[in-house]
Amino acid sequence: MSTVTTVVRETKETQVTVELARGSGVARVDTGLKFFDHMLATFARYAGLDLTLRARGDLRHHLMEDVAITLGTAVQRVIPATAARYGERTLPMDDALVQACLDAGGRFYYRGPLKNRLYEHWMRSFCEHSRITLHLRVLRGKDSHHLTEAAFKALGLALRDAMVDSGVVFSMKGSVSLEVK
């Protein structure tokens, strides 16, 4: 049984609560934004993360950014110290073909872009707070819905691969974990 981590973020603009555990991908998400809820539940399903997320906010931008910060922080906490660390998936969805390559080794870097600026910002904020490096490439496609959904699915599958507990630390430095205060 996996340990559940809870992260709460409350500002003048938003209230976000995330409960997260490595599991089977069961998600209960309520942000008030139906497509965003679908993307977050899709990500959790493909990543193999059990997620309960409730969020409210004043503006779509603030809400999405603070969800990325909160969920990213929770994801960082559930990555095992002996994680396989690397993951890569290329995912087709109708006209879209998107590749996600990531390193869950504790250093933030993001390279996109996605066509939708809010989801592009979400990816960057998520990567910063989960402390992962993500290279996201749109190889084909024009439909913004398909491109965004393919990106969340590819990210989830790549993260699932990276979080596999290998039993050894994949770092020449001897550790990839960071103490969170």
Side-chain angles (χ1 to χ4, degrees), residues 43-111:
F43 165 74
R45 172 78 174 138
Y46 282 69
L49 296 170
D50 294 338
L51 171 66
T52 301
L53 187 151
R54 177 153 172 37
R56 290 294 179 261
D58 60 348
L59 301 173
R60 181 182 301 252
H61 175 90
H62 293 155
L63 178 69
M64 290 178 69
E65 179 178 47
D66 283 9
V67 165
I69 290 167
T70 310
L71 181 57
T73 300
V75 165
Q76 191 278 325
R77 291 180 182 175
V78 301
I79 297 172
T82 54
R85 186 172 165 178
Y86 300 100
E88 184 277 329
R89 289 298 178 102
T90 303
L91 195 131
M93 184 174 173
D94 299 336
D95 67 313
L97 184 63
V98 178
Q99 180 185 42
C101 301
L102 68 82
D103 173 6
R107 291 194 305 224
F108 155 66
Y109 181 81
Y110 172 73
R111 179 78 184 252

Side-chain angles (χ1 to χ4, degrees), residues 85-148:
R85 186 172 165 178
Y86 300 100
E88 184 277 329
R89 289 298 178 102
T90 303
L91 195 131
M93 184 174 173
D94 299 336
D95 67 313
L97 184 63
V98 178
Q99 180 185 42
C101 301
L102 68 82
D103 173 6
R107 291 194 305 224
F108 155 66
Y109 181 81
Y110 172 73
R111 179 78 184 252
L114 283 175
K115 285 188 174 189
N116 183 301
R117 66 178 177 78
L118 286 173
Y119 285 97
E120 172 72 5
H121 185 65
W122 188 90
M123 289 287 179
R124 180 176 305 287
S125 297
F126 172 79
C127 290
E128 180 178 355
H129 292 274
S130 60
R131 297 183 183 145
I132 66 171
T133 293
L134 173 64
H135 292 263
L136 192 62
R137 293 190 323 151
V138 172
L139 301 170
R140 281 192 192 89
K142 295 189 187 294
D143 184 286
S144 182
H145 175 116
H146 294 157
L147 291 169
T148 302

Side-chain angles (χ1 to χ4, degrees), residues 31-39 60 119:
T31 66
L33 304 172
K34 290 192 184 299
F35 183 71
F36 188 42
D37 290 354
H38 177 51
M39 291 304 94
R60 181 182 301 252
Y119 285 97

